[in-house]
Amino acid sequence: MRALRPLTLLPLLMLCLLTSNAALAERLYHVEVIVFRQAAEPISAGQLPPDNWAQNALPIDSNNLRSTALNAEAGKLNPANGYQVLLHQAWAQNIGNTSSSVAIQTGFEHFGHHPIEGTVSLREDRLIELQSDIWVNQFDDSGTLNDSERIKQTTRLKSGELTFVDNGSLGMLVRVNPL
């Protein structure tokens, strides 16, 4: 009977090991995104964003906001150079081997939509996989959504490297650094 007693603890020990491995699989990263308009004429997405544009992405709360580090790069994206920065935001996000999504937005809300809104999903394998779905919305004087531009793209990032995502009249700079 005494020989069986250590075996009863084995499932508990295995559960503890599996739980600790799952916690180690996710790491905290500093994510920074700049969305900007290029000199080209806006290219309509041909559709408006859905009312559930954030889907199941978590909003970035004040505890996760971080200071921006790409200020020099954002400064070069000015009208004199043919660009306009639409959103520049940084936050802390846990990234693991399953996709982690956050909802980003800026500007005043009109009937459930913001001038800039979308989701950024990140997943880490050997490289970091980025899935972006960002809407740049135009409203009329009454606040009704008229038209939208969209960046919907999947790309792979190297940790710490600045990556450019091009989408016609819109562009995005992204950097993901471990914290």
Side-chain angles (χ1 to χ4, degrees):
M1 285 299 224
R2 287 192 169 200
L4 293 178
R5 195 171 286 165
L7 290 177
T8 60
L9 296 176
L10 186 60
L12 182 59
L13 179 62
M14 293 298 287
L15 181 62
C16 288
L17 287 173
L18 288 174
T19 304
S20 67
N21 283 342
L24 291 175
E26 278 196 355
R27 293 175 42 192
L28 191 62
Y29 284 85
H30 179 270
V31 180
E32 187 165 355
V33 171
I34 301 172
V35 177
F36 59 94
R37 177 168 282 119
Q38 301 182 57
E41 194 66 28
I43 299 172
S44 176
Q47 63 186 26
L48 298 177
D51 288 337
N52 66 341
W53 61 268
Q55 297 159 12
N56 294 318
L58 298 174
I60 300 169
D61 65 18
S62 60
N63 294 328
N64 291 335
L65 284 175
R66 297 292 186 263
S67 59
T68 56
L70 298 174
N71 298 324
E73 290 80 355
K76 294 175 186 174
L77 297 170
N78 60 49
N81 292 328
Y83 301 100
Q84 176 189 9
V85 172
L86 304 172
L87 176 138
H88 186 188
Q89 196 168 18
W91 64 90
Q93 182 174 348
N94 282 315
I95 303 173
N97 56 9
T98 59
S99 187
S100 166
S101 298
V102 297
I104 59 174
Q105 75 263 339
T106 189
F108 294 108
E109 181 180 338
H110 301 279
F111 305 111
H113 292 282
H114 300 267
I116 316 305
E117 61 190 16
T119 58
V120 174
S121 300
L122 296 165
R123 183 178 70 85
E124 184 177 33
D125 193 11
R126 288 183 310 178
L127 296 173
I128 297 171
E129 182 178 289
L130 163 75
Q131 290 182 325
S132 61
D133 192 4
I134 311 293
W135 296 86
V136 177
N137 299 317
Q138 289 88 40
F139 299 92
D140 66 15
D141 293 336
S142 67
T144 303
L145 187 56
N146 274 348
D147 199 10
S148 296
E149 298 171 82
R150 186 179 190 187
I151 298 176
K152 183 173 182 170
Q153 204 159 339
T154 300
T155 190
R156 295 188 181 268
L157 314 171
K158 287 186 180 179
S159 181
E161 285 189 8
L162 185 60
T163 302
F164 171 60
V165 178
D166 185 18
N167 196 42
S169 62
L170 299 174
M172 187 166 70
L173 293 174
V174 182
R175 185 184 301 171
V176 179
N177 291 321
L179 286 175

